[in-house]
Amino acid sequence: MSDCLFCKIITGDIPADIIYQDDKILIFKDINPKADVHLLMIPKAHIESLVQLNESHNDLIAYMMLKLPELANDQGLNSGFRTIINTGRDGGQEVFHLHIHLLGGQNLPGF
Ligand code: 5GP
Ligand code: ZN
């Protein structure tokens, strides 16, 4: 998707503070952190949101879910963390490339 911000981060056209990547996913720091730790995990494939997922994505979604606690542990979040997926305009989604927020640390705001 040529006009997708997160696809441009994947290709390197827009810089980001990258924490981890492999053939399936990219993890980078949110540019406007809402907590001490605020990372975004995205699939390298352009998928707009949860609504676009189907059974062909089962392995990818399982992979992402299993990666989250590993990532949180690597970030030193030993006593817990929060994950958020905003979906659609009314769900507060601003970037239409599926992403999972990982938030943690002492300054985690109330929900
Ligand atoms: P959403 O509201 O779509 O769930 O979250 C989008 C997130 O992307 C926001 O937390 C926002 O701060 C982050 N973001 C927007 N533009 C950029 C950018 O250019 N670089 C990075 N690293 N994060 C961004
Ligand atoms: Zn994209």
Side-chain angles (χ1 to χ4, degrees):
M1 283 286 158
S2 56
D3 59 347
C4 171
L5 177 65
F6 287 173
C7 281
K8 287 179 182 164
I9 288 178
I10 291 166
T11 57
D13 291 318
I14 291 177
D17 202 336
I18 292 171
I19 300 293
Y20 172 86
Q21 65 176 315
D22 59 28
D23 58 327
K24 297 181 194 62
I25 62 170
L26 181 71
I27 298 165
F28 55 99
K29 290 188 181 176
D30 195 292
I31 204 168
N32 182 22
K34 306 282 195 304
D36 294 341
V37 175
H38 187 174
L39 304 181
L40 300 172
M41 174 190 287
I42 64 173
K44 284 201 167 169
H46 179 83
I47 301 167
E48 274 190 28
S49 80
L50 282 184
V51 174
Q52 275 69 39
L53 290 178
N54 58 52
E55 287 187 359
S56 75
H57 300 112
N58 284 357
D59 287 351
L60 173 65
I61 296 309
Y63 183 77
M64 292 174 78
M65 286 297 141
L66 294 172
K67 204 81 184 167
L68 285 164
E70 193 184 306
L71 177 64
N73 186 57
D74 289 347
Q75 293 291 314
L77 302 175
N78 302 312
S79 45
F81 56 91
R82 181 177 299 160
T83 49
I84 297 174
I85 304 175
N86 294 323
T87 303
R89 229 166 288 281
D90 286 355
Q93 186 174 4
E94 291 173 359
V95 179
F96 285 82
H97 181 129
L98 178 64
H99 51 282
I100 303 175
H101 296 259
L102 175 79
L103 298 132
Q106 296 301 310
N107 298 315
L108 199 59
F111 182 72

